[in-house]
mmCIF file of all heavy atoms in Angstrom:
data_model
loop_
_atom_site.group_PDB
_atom_site.id
_atom_site.type_symbol
_atom_site.label_atom_id
_atom_site.label_comp_id
_atom_site.label_asym_id
_atom_site.label_seq_id
_atom_site.Cartn_x
_atom_site.Cartn_y
_atom_site.Cartn_z
ATOM 1 N N ILE C 1 0.815 -1.218 0.000
ATOM 2 C CA ILE C 1 0.000 0.000 0.000
ATOM 3 C C ILE C 1 0.849 1.268 0.000
ATOM 4 O O ILE C 1 0.474 2.275 -0.589
ATOM 5 C CB ILE C 1 -1.018 -0.010 1.163
ATOM 6 C CG1 ILE C 1 -2.160 0.978 0.907
ATOM 7 C CG2 ILE C 1 -0.348 0.268 2.491
ATOM 8 C CD1 ILE C 1 -3.083 0.583 -0.193
ATOM 9 N N ARG C 2 2.009 1.218 0.624
ATOM 10 C CA ARG C 2 2.881 2.403 0.656
ATOM 11 C C ARG C 2 3.357 2.744 -0.754
ATOM 12 O O ARG C 2 3.303 3.896 -1.181
ATOM 13 C CB ARG C 2 4.072 2.170 1.579
ATOM 14 C CG ARG C 2 4.896 3.413 1.824
ATOM 15 C CD ARG C 2 6.055 3.123 2.785
ATOM 16 N NE ARG C 2 6.497 4.276 3.517
ATOM 17 C CZ ARG C 2 7.172 5.294 3.014
ATOM 18 N NH1 ARG C 2 7.478 5.319 1.730
ATOM 19 N NH2 ARG C 2 7.548 6.305 3.772
ATOM 20 N N GLU C 3 3.824 1.733 -1.457
ATOM 21 C CA GLU C 3 4.303 1.968 -2.822
ATOM 22 C C GLU C 3 3.151 2.367 -3.739
ATOM 23 O O GLU C 3 3.312 3.211 -4.626
ATOM 24 C CB GLU C 3 5.022 0.726 -3.348
ATOM 25 C CG GLU C 3 5.771 0.985 -4.624
ATOM 26 C CD GLU C 3 6.717 -0.146 -5.012
ATOM 27 O OE1 GLU C 3 6.671 -1.236 -4.414
ATOM 28 O OE2 GLU C 3 7.504 0.091 -5.931
ATOM 29 N N ALA C 4 1.982 1.778 -3.537
ATOM 30 C CA ALA C 4 0.821 2.145 -4.349
ATOM 31 C C ALA C 4 0.471 3.616 -4.148
ATOM 32 O O ALA C 4 0.265 4.350 -5.117
ATOM 33 C CB ALA C 4 -0.369 1.260 -3.990
ATOM 34 N N ALA C 5 0.421 4.050 -2.892
ATOM 35 C CA ALA C 5 0.090 5.448 -2.603
ATOM 36 C C ALA C 5 1.128 6.400 -3.192
ATOM 37 O O ALA C 5 0.786 7.480 -3.679
ATOM 38 C CB ALA C 5 -0.030 5.651 -1.096
ATOM 39 N N ALA C 6 2.370 5.991 -3.174
ATOM 40 C CA ALA C 6 3.444 6.833 -3.708
ATOM 41 C C ALA C 6 3.375 6.968 -5.233
ATOM 42 O O ALA C 6 3.856 7.949 -5.787
ATOM 43 C CB ALA C 6 4.804 6.276 -3.308
ATOM 44 N N HIS C 7 2.769 5.987 -5.900
ATOM 45 C CA HIS C 7 2.751 5.995 -7.364
ATOM 46 C C HIS C 7 1.380 6.296 -7.970
ATOM 47 O O HIS C 7 1.246 6.322 -9.189
ATOM 48 C CB HIS C 7 3.255 4.653 -7.900
ATOM 49 C CG HIS C 7 4.730 4.498 -7.741
ATOM 50 N ND1 HIS C 7 5.290 3.940 -6.623
ATOM 51 C CD2 HIS C 7 5.750 4.865 -8.539
ATOM 52 C CE1 HIS C 7 6.601 3.956 -6.746
ATOM 53 N NE2 HIS C 7 6.906 4.510 -7.899
ATOM 54 N N MET C 8 0.392 6.510 -7.136
ATOM 55 C CA MET C 8 -0.920 6.849 -7.679
ATOM 56 C C MET C 8 -0.844 8.236 -8.315
ATOM 57 O O MET C 8 -0.265 9.158 -7.734
ATOM 58 C CB MET C 8 -1.986 6.823 -6.592
ATOM 59 C CG MET C 8 -2.275 5.431 -6.088
ATOM 60 S SD MET C 8 -3.485 5.417 -4.773
ATOM 61 C CE MET C 8 -4.971 5.519 -5.755
ATOM 62 N N PRO C 9 -1.399 8.397 -9.497
ATOM 63 C CA PRO C 9 -1.323 9.698 -10.172
ATOM 64 C C PRO C 9 -1.848 10.856 -9.324
ATOM 65 O O PRO C 9 -1.323 11.959 -9.383
ATOM 66 C CB PRO C 9 -2.166 9.495 -11.431
ATOM 67 C CG PRO C 9 -2.042 8.037 -11.711
ATOM 68 C CD PRO C 9 -2.008 7.377 -10.350
ATOM 69 N N ILE C 10 -2.848 10.615 -8.506
ATOM 70 C CA ILE C 10 -3.414 11.691 -7.693
ATOM 71 C C ILE C 10 -2.403 12.239 -6.682
ATOM 72 O O ILE C 10 -2.483 13.383 -6.264
ATOM 73 C CB ILE C 10 -4.714 11.245 -6.999
ATOM 74 C CG1 ILE C 10 -5.475 12.459 -6.495
ATOM 75 C CG2 ILE C 10 -4.426 10.264 -5.874
ATOM 76 C CD1 ILE C 10 -6.892 12.164 -6.082
ATOM 77 N N SER C 11 -1.434 11.416 -6.313
ATOM 78 C CA SER C 11 -0.434 11.867 -5.336
ATOM 79 C C SER C 11 0.705 12.648 -5.990
ATOM 80 O O SER C 11 1.539 13.229 -5.290
ATOM 81 C CB SER C 11 0.125 10.678 -4.551
ATOM 82 O OG SER C 11 0.949 9.877 -5.374
ATOM 83 N N ARG C 12 0.727 12.679 -7.306
ATOM 84 C CA ARG C 12 1.828 13.328 -8.033
ATOM 85 C C ARG C 12 2.053 14.772 -7.583
ATOM 86 O O ARG C 12 3.178 15.195 -7.354
ATOM 87 C CB ARG C 12 1.567 13.281 -9.536
ATOM 88 C CG ARG C 12 2.690 13.879 -10.358
ATOM 89 C CD ARG C 12 2.492 13.709 -11.835
ATOM 90 N NE ARG C 12 2.630 12.287 -12.148
ATOM 91 C CZ ARG C 12 1.840 11.622 -12.985
ATOM 92 N NH1 ARG C 12 0.874 12.247 -13.608
ATOM 93 N NH2 ARG C 12 2.020 10.342 -13.204
ATOM 94 N N ILE C 13 0.990 15.540 -7.419
ATOM 95 C CA ILE C 13 1.156 16.951 -7.060
ATOM 96 C C ILE C 13 1.677 17.119 -5.634
ATOM 97 O O ILE C 13 2.310 18.123 -5.325
ATOM 98 C CB ILE C 13 -0.152 17.750 -7.247
ATOM 99 C CG1 ILE C 13 -1.280 17.151 -6.414
ATOM 100 C CG2 ILE C 13 -0.530 17.844 -8.691
ATOM 101 C CD1 ILE C 13 -2.555 17.970 -6.414
ATOM 102 N N TYR C 14 1.434 16.138 -4.773
ATOM 103 C CA TYR C 14 1.865 16.245 -3.381
ATOM 104 C C TYR C 14 3.271 15.716 -3.145
ATOM 105 O O TYR C 14 3.887 16.042 -2.131
ATOM 106 C CB TYR C 14 0.883 15.503 -2.474
ATOM 107 C CG TYR C 14 -0.513 16.033 -2.592
ATOM 108 C CD1 TYR C 14 -1.486 15.308 -3.282
ATOM 109 C CD2 TYR C 14 -0.856 17.264 -2.044
ATOM 110 C CE1 TYR C 14 -2.775 15.808 -3.414
ATOM 111 C CE2 TYR C 14 -2.133 17.775 -2.175
ATOM 112 C CZ TYR C 14 -3.099 17.034 -2.856
ATOM 113 O OH TYR C 14 -4.362 17.532 -2.994
ATOM 114 N N ARG C 15 3.781 14.895 -4.045
ATOM 115 C CA ARG C 15 5.097 14.277 -3.869
ATOM 116 C C ARG C 15 6.220 15.292 -3.737
ATOM 117 O O ARG C 15 7.226 15.020 -3.095
ATOM 118 C CB ARG C 15 5.412 13.349 -5.040
ATOM 119 C CG ARG C 15 4.619 12.088 -5.028
ATOM 120 C CD ARG C 15 5.008 11.206 -6.213
ATOM 121 N NE ARG C 15 3.776 10.663 -6.761
ATOM 122 C CZ ARG C 15 3.596 10.285 -7.994
ATOM 123 N NH1 ARG C 15 4.572 10.360 -8.871
ATOM 124 N NH2 ARG C 15 2.448 9.803 -8.396
ATOM 125 N N GLN C 16 6.047 16.443 -4.351
ATOM 126 C CA GLN C 16 7.097 17.457 -4.345
ATOM 127 C C GLN C 16 7.222 18.183 -3.007
ATOM 128 O O GLN C 16 8.222 18.825 -2.729
ATOM 129 C CB GLN C 16 6.858 18.455 -5.457
ATOM 130 C CG GLN C 16 5.563 19.241 -5.295
ATOM 131 C CD GLN C 16 5.248 20.089 -6.495
ATOM 132 O OE1 GLN C 16 6.140 20.457 -7.250
ATOM 133 N NE2 GLN C 16 3.986 20.421 -6.684
ATOM 134 N N PHE C 17 6.199 18.102 -2.168
ATOM 135 C CA PHE C 17 6.207 18.838 -0.908
ATOM 136 C C PHE C 17 6.974 18.094 0.178
ATOM 137 O O PHE C 17 6.875 16.875 0.294
ATOM 138 C CB PHE C 17 4.775 19.099 -0.426
ATOM 139 C CG PHE C 17 4.004 20.006 -1.331
ATOM 140 C CD1 PHE C 17 2.916 19.521 -2.049
ATOM 141 C CD2 PHE C 17 4.365 21.336 -1.505
ATOM 142 C CE1 PHE C 17 2.198 20.339 -2.899
ATOM 143 C CE2 PHE C 17 3.660 22.163 -2.357
ATOM 144 C CZ PHE C 17 2.578 21.669 -3.051
ATOM 145 N N PRO C 18 7.724 18.857 0.978
ATOM 146 C CA PRO C 18 8.419 18.225 2.102
ATOM 147 C C PRO C 18 7.391 17.586 3.038
ATOM 148 O O PRO C 18 6.313 18.116 3.242
ATOM 149 C CB PRO C 18 9.118 19.394 2.803
ATOM 150 C CG PRO C 18 9.060 20.544 1.864
ATOM 151 C CD PRO C 18 7.937 20.291 0.918
ATOM 152 N N GLY C 19 7.745 16.461 3.559
ATOM 153 C CA GLY C 19 6.857 15.784 4.495
ATOM 154 C C GLY C 19 5.868 14.839 3.852
ATOM 155 O O GLY C 19 5.072 14.201 4.546
ATOM 156 N N PHE C 20 5.869 14.732 2.514
ATOM 157 C CA PHE C 20 4.922 13.838 1.842
ATOM 158 C C PHE C 20 5.055 12.412 2.374
ATOM 159 O O PHE C 20 4.063 11.779 2.720
ATOM 160 C CB PHE C 20 5.138 13.855 0.325
ATOM 161 C CG PHE C 20 4.338 12.819 -0.413
ATOM 162 C CD1 PHE C 20 2.971 12.950 -0.565
ATOM 163 C CD2 PHE C 20 4.949 11.692 -0.957
ATOM 164 C CE1 PHE C 20 2.219 11.992 -1.238
ATOM 165 C CE2 PHE C 20 4.219 10.733 -1.630
ATOM 166 C CZ PHE C 20 2.849 10.885 -1.777
ATOM 167 N N GLY C 21 6.295 11.940 2.469
ATOM 168 C CA GLY C 21 6.513 10.583 2.964
ATOM 169 C C GLY C 21 5.992 10.398 4.366
ATOM 170 O O GLY C 21 5.273 9.442 4.656
ATOM 171 N N TYR C 22 6.318 11.320 5.238
ATOM 172 C CA TYR C 22 5.895 11.195 6.631
ATOM 173 C C TYR C 22 4.392 11.398 6.799
ATOM 174 O O TYR C 22 3.704 10.586 7.421
ATOM 175 C CB TYR C 22 6.653 12.192 7.516
ATOM 176 C CG TYR C 22 6.165 12.164 8.942
ATOM 177 C CD1 TYR C 22 6.544 11.142 9.796
ATOM 178 C CD2 TYR C 22 5.310 13.145 9.420
ATOM 179 C CE1 TYR C 22 6.072 11.089 11.104
ATOM 180 C CE2 TYR C 22 4.843 13.110 10.715
ATOM 181 C CZ TYR C 22 5.227 12.087 11.563
ATOM 182 O OH TYR C 22 4.756 12.040 12.843
ATOM 183 N N LEU C 23 3.876 12.484 6.233
ATOM 184 C CA LEU C 23 2.473 12.823 6.454
ATOM 185 C C LEU C 23 1.506 11.882 5.740
ATOM 186 O O LEU C 23 0.456 11.534 6.285
ATOM 187 C CB LEU C 23 2.204 14.262 6.009
ATOM 188 C CG LEU C 23 2.877 15.340 6.848
ATOM 189 C CD1 LEU C 23 2.696 16.706 6.206
ATOM 190 C CD2 LEU C 23 2.326 15.333 8.270
ATOM 191 N N ILE C 24 1.853 11.475 4.555
ATOM 192 C CA ILE C 24 0.932 10.650 3.772
ATOM 193 C C ILE C 24 1.309 9.168 3.841
ATOM 194 O O ILE C 24 0.530 8.341 4.315
ATOM 195 C CB ILE C 24 0.885 11.106 2.298
ATOM 196 C CG1 ILE C 24 0.540 12.595 2.196
ATOM 197 C CG2 ILE C 24 -0.074 10.240 1.493
ATOM 198 C CD1 ILE C 24 -0.805 12.990 2.764
ATOM 199 N N LEU C 25 2.500 8.841 3.380
ATOM 200 C CA LEU C 25 2.871 7.434 3.268
ATOM 201 C C LEU C 25 3.051 6.765 4.630
ATOM 202 O O LEU C 25 2.566 5.653 4.848
ATOM 203 C CB LEU C 25 4.136 7.287 2.418
ATOM 204 C CG LEU C 25 4.039 7.876 1.007
ATOM 205 C CD1 LEU C 25 5.344 7.674 0.262
ATOM 206 C CD2 LEU C 25 2.867 7.287 0.247
ATOM 207 N N ASP C 26 3.735 7.423 5.534
ATOM 208 C CA ASP C 26 3.958 6.817 6.848
ATOM 209 C C ASP C 26 2.680 6.742 7.672
ATOM 210 O O ASP C 26 2.568 5.920 8.574
ATOM 211 C CB ASP C 26 5.041 7.569 7.618
ATOM 212 C CG ASP C 26 6.414 7.442 6.973
ATOM 213 O OD1 ASP C 26 6.576 6.567 6.092
ATOM 214 O OD2 ASP C 26 7.309 8.225 7.333
ATOM 215 N N SER C 27 1.713 7.603 7.377
ATOM 216 C CA SER C 27 0.457 7.560 8.123
ATOM 217 C C SER C 27 -0.287 6.241 7.879
ATOM 218 O O SER C 27 -1.021 5.766 8.742
ATOM 219 C CB SER C 27 -0.433 8.744 7.768
ATOM 220 O OG SER C 27 -0.895 8.645 6.441
ATOM 221 N N LEU C 28 -0.081 5.647 6.726
ATOM 222 C CA LEU C 28 -0.695 4.345 6.452
ATOM 223 C C LEU C 28 -0.149 3.292 7.419
ATOM 224 O O LEU C 28 -0.913 2.506 7.983
ATOM 225 C CB LEU C 28 -0.431 3.924 5.007
ATOM 226 C CG LEU C 28 -1.065 4.813 3.933
ATOM 227 C CD1 LEU C 28 -0.464 4.507 2.570
ATOM 228 C CD2 LEU C 28 -2.565 4.630 3.928
ATOM 229 N N ALA C 29 1.150 3.298 7.619
ATOM 230 C CA ALA C 29 1.765 2.342 8.550
ATOM 231 C C ALA C 29 1.323 2.627 9.981
ATOM 232 O O ALA C 29 1.068 1.696 10.755
ATOM 233 C CB ALA C 29 3.289 2.399 8.443
ATOM 234 N N ARG C 30 1.208 3.899 10.328
ATOM 235 C CA ARG C 30 0.746 4.228 11.687
ATOM 236 C C ARG C 30 -0.683 3.743 11.900
ATOM 237 O O ARG C 30 -1.089 3.482 13.026
ATOM 238 C CB ARG C 30 0.868 5.728 11.946
ATOM 239 C CG ARG C 30 2.319 6.187 12.100
ATOM 240 C CD ARG C 30 2.420 7.622 12.607
ATOM 241 N NE ARG C 30 1.857 8.612 11.710
ATOM 242 C CZ ARG C 30 2.509 9.149 10.680
ATOM 243 N NH1 ARG C 30 3.751 8.797 10.410
ATOM 244 N NH2 ARG C 30 1.930 10.060 9.919
ATOM 245 N N GLY C 31 -1.426 3.620 10.826
ATOM 246 C CA GLY C 31 -2.788 3.092 10.903
ATOM 247 C C GLY C 31 -2.836 1.581 10.705
ATOM 248 O O GLY C 31 -3.901 1.015 10.494
ATOM 249 N N ASN C 32 -1.683 0.928 10.751
ATOM 250 C CA ASN C 32 -1.570 -0.523 10.545
ATOM 251 C C ASN C 32 -2.126 -0.974 9.202
ATOM 252 O O ASN C 32 -2.767 -2.015 9.099
ATOM 253 C CB ASN C 32 -2.230 -1.298 11.691
ATOM 254 C CG ASN C 32 -1.423 -1.217 12.958
ATOM 255 O OD1 ASN C 32 -0.198 -1.324 12.915
ATOM 256 N ND2 ASN C 32 -2.092 -1.003 14.070
ATOM 257 N N LEU C 33 -1.882 -0.179 8.182
ATOM 258 C CA LEU C 33 -2.266 -0.540 6.819
ATOM 259 C C LEU C 33 -0.998 -0.775 6.015
ATOM 260 O O LEU C 33 -0.238 0.164 5.752
ATOM 261 C CB LEU C 33 -3.096 0.568 6.175
ATOM 262 C CG LEU C 33 -4.447 0.849 6.808
ATOM 263 C CD1 LEU C 33 -5.082 2.072 6.181
ATOM 264 C CD2 LEU C 33 -5.363 -0.349 6.674
ATOM 265 N N PHE C 34 -0.781 -2.021 5.638
ATOM 266 C CA PHE C 34 0.427 -2.384 4.899
ATOM 267 C C PHE C 34 0.096 -3.095 3.585
ATOM 268 O O PHE C 34 0.698 -2.829 2.577
ATOM 269 C CB PHE C 34 1.348 -3.284 5.753
ATOM 270 C CG PHE C 34 1.769 -2.636 7.031
ATOM 271 C CD1 PHE C 34 1.128 -2.926 8.225
ATOM 272 C CD2 PHE C 34 2.809 -1.722 7.039
ATOM 273 C CE1 PHE C 34 1.514 -2.321 9.403
ATOM 274 C CE2 PHE C 34 3.204 -1.111 8.214
ATOM 275 C CZ PHE C 34 2.552 -1.408 9.406
ATOM 276 N N PHE C 35 -0.842 -4.020 3.625
ATOM 277 C CA PHE C 35 -1.229 -4.790 2.441
ATOM 278 C C PHE C 35 -0.006 -5.177 1.626
ATOM 279 O O PHE C 35 0.171 -4.754 0.487
ATOM 280 C CB PHE C 35 -2.249 -4.030 1.596
ATOM 281 C CG PHE C 35 -3.558 -3.810 2.298
ATOM 282 C CD1 PHE C 35 -3.899 -2.562 2.794
ATOM 283 C CD2 PHE C 35 -4.445 -4.849 2.469
ATOM 284 C CE1 PHE C 35 -5.108 -2.352 3.438
ATOM 285 C CE2 PHE C 35 -5.660 -4.656 3.114
ATOM 286 C CZ PHE C 35 -5.990 -3.401 3.596
ATOM 287 N N ARG C 36 0.835 -6.010 2.188
ATOM 288 C CA ARG C 36 2.124 -6.385 1.597
ATOM 289 C C ARG C 36 1.992 -7.577 0.644
ATOM 290 O O ARG C 36 2.492 -8.662 0.923
ATOM 291 C CB ARG C 36 3.110 -6.718 2.707
ATOM 292 C CG ARG C 36 3.472 -5.557 3.576
ATOM 293 C CD ARG C 36 4.485 -5.987 4.634
ATOM 294 N NE ARG C 36 4.873 -4.873 5.454
ATOM 295 C CZ ARG C 36 4.710 -4.838 6.776
ATOM 296 N NH1 ARG C 36 4.184 -5.862 7.419
ATOM 297 N NH2 ARG C 36 5.099 -3.783 7.462
ATOM 298 N N SER C 37 1.375 -7.347 -0.463
ATOM 299 C CA SER C 37 1.254 -8.427 -1.453
ATOM 300 C C SER C 37 2.623 -8.908 -1.905
ATOM 301 O O SER C 37 2.806 -10.097 -2.159
ATOM 302 C CB SER C 37 0.444 -7.961 -2.662
ATOM 303 O OG SER C 37 -0.904 -7.800 -2.300
ATOM 304 N N ASP C 38 3.595 -7.990 -1.985
ATOM 305 C CA ASP C 38 4.937 -8.382 -2.410
ATOM 306 C C ASP C 38 5.565 -9.373 -1.437
ATOM 307 O O ASP C 38 6.287 -10.283 -1.851
ATOM 308 C CB ASP C 38 5.838 -7.168 -2.633
ATOM 309 C CG ASP C 38 5.855 -6.183 -1.475
ATOM 310 O OD1 ASP C 38 5.099 -6.334 -0.499
ATOM 311 O OD2 ASP C 38 6.633 -5.210 -1.555
ATOM 312 N N GLU C 39 5.281 -9.250 -0.158
ATOM 313 C CA GLU C 39 5.788 -10.213 0.820
ATOM 314 C C GLU C 39 4.937 -11.482 0.821
ATOM 315 O O GLU C 39 5.451 -12.589 0.976
ATOM 316 C CB GLU C 39 5.825 -9.598 2.222
ATOM 317 C CG GLU C 39 6.824 -8.462 2.362
ATOM 318 C CD GLU C 39 8.250 -8.898 2.053
ATOM 319 O OE1 GLU C 39 8.664 -9.994 2.496
ATOM 320 O OE2 GLU C 39 8.969 -8.140 1.375
ATOM 321 N N ASN C 40 3.641 -11.333 0.649
ATOM 322 C CA ASN C 40 2.736 -12.481 0.668
ATOM 323 C C ASN C 40 3.007 -13.456 -0.474
ATOM 324 O O ASN C 40 3.023 -14.670 -0.272
ATOM 325 C CB ASN C 40 1.280 -12.018 0.627
ATOM 326 C CG ASN C 40 0.866 -11.298 1.888
ATOM 327 O OD1 ASN C 40 1.460 -11.462 2.956
ATOM 328 N ND2 ASN C 40 -0.171 -10.483 1.784
ATOM 329 N N VAL C 41 3.223 -12.927 -1.686
ATOM 330 C CA VAL C 41 3.412 -13.827 -2.829
ATOM 331 C C VAL C 41 4.704 -14.620 -2.729
ATOM 332 O O VAL C 41 4.845 -15.660 -3.369
ATOM 333 C CB VAL C 41 3.330 -13.097 -4.191
ATOM 334 C CG1 VAL C 41 1.963 -12.455 -4.383
ATOM 335 C CG2 VAL C 41 4.453 -12.089 -4.368
#
């Protein structure tokens, strides 16, 4: 889910801002949302 959120076109405009990783991507992990298909397969 972290990589998906980072590559979704809607996130493109926010990627340039400082804190994008922490505020957006890391918040998924803080919410216990990982959906690690890459590890599962």
Side-chain angles (χ1 to χ4, degrees):
I1 199 70
R2 189 179 206 288
E3 191 168 11
H7 287 90
M8 291 178 81
I10 196 167
S11 71
R12 183 174 291 138
I13 58 173
Y14 301 106
R15 288 181 222 154
Q16 63 188 336
F17 295 113
F20 172 72
Y22 176 77
L23 292 172
I24 305 299
L25 303 180
D26 294 346
S27 68
L28 295 166
R30 289 190 297 276
N32 288 318
L33 295 173
F34 301 99
F35 295 105
R36 294 181 178 121
S37 290
D38 51 354
E39 294 301 317
N40 292 337
V41 299

